[in-house]
Amino acid sequence: MANLQKNMTKTILYTKNLSVGYSKKIPLQDNLNLSLLKGNLTSIIGKNGIGKSTLIKTFVKILKPLSGEIFLQEKNINEISRKDFAKMVSVVLTEKFNDGNFFVKDIISFGRSPYTGILGNLNKEDWRIVENVATDLKINDLLNKRFYELSDGQQQKVLIAKALAQQTEIIILDEPTSFLDFQAKDEIFMLLKKIAKEKKLAVLVSSHDVFSVLKYSDFFWLLEKDGILCTTDKEIVKQKLNLDFSC
């Protein structure tokens, strides 16, 4: 009971009988009751087409639930304005950043947009936050470079920095290591784990990179045809996916 109460105090987002997909007749996932905890890295895994990205897009209000509810800080997300939602949840989607001609410092500063005025002018405090985030992620030397000049791994770190500059309690990422080599994938997951622990944020990732997911995640949401398995047990996930890393 004590552990349950402790976990509930860290729950920042949860669902009630959530159904996601593009058709009520054939939902990709149905009757989901999930809890996202602060201070933890939670990973969504499963086969292609099982609903990973769909679930992510439903959490961030790109898609509407087919049925059921999503609660953020005890409030239904349908009742939260776009601006207030952006102060609570930051998102890094799988699509590549469109305009790579921006300087890195400008891209990170876009994370401050929920707090700026109509003209989007940043004050000294906003720029201080940008610089602090860059320092935390050890990308200070990239601030005055153009985004297109960076490696894929560096670009992903910049987008994570933008999410951190948004100063939300939840960061949600859809396939953040899709275009990266093995070393860069490992660095990104290590960074996300560190962010979750040190900054006490809830970090939610969907990923095909099962090796990194198993290495760094605190919680696993394994999407299957007949529902979802939520566990902290890596061995159960390995068995479910028929994985063997002994070689």
Side-chain angles (χ1 to χ4, degrees), residues 215-228:
K215 184 176 179 181
Y216 291 106
S217 300
D218 301 294
F219 288 90
F220 309 97
W221 293 356
L222 175 58
L223 299 186
E224 301 176 289
K225 286 186 178 180
D226 57 351
I228 186 168

Side-chain angles (χ1 to χ4, degrees), residues 134-177:
T135 299
D136 286 346
L137 270 59
K138 299 180 181 179
I139 55 173
N140 313 61
D141 57 327
L142 304 180
L143 287 175
N144 292 308
K145 288 190 175 183
R146 302 280 185 180
F147 190 71
Y148 72 84
E149 297 177 318
L150 309 183
S151 69
D152 287 340
Q154 289 173 326
Q155 288 184 353
Q156 198 63 284
K157 287 182 181 179
V158 171
L159 296 179
I160 293 171
K162 172 180 170 289
L164 281 174
Q166 206 167 322
Q167 291 190 316
T168 61
E169 292 189 276
I170 300 176
I171 299 179
I172 297 179
L173 308 97
D174 188 16
E175 297 289 350
T177 60

Side-chain angles (χ1 to χ4, degrees), residues 13-27:
L13 181 148
Y14 64 94
T15 70
K16 284 187 176 180
N17 305 319
L18 180 67
S19 177
V20 301
Y22 298 90
S23 169
K24 288 187 177 181
K25 293 182 180 179
I26 312 175

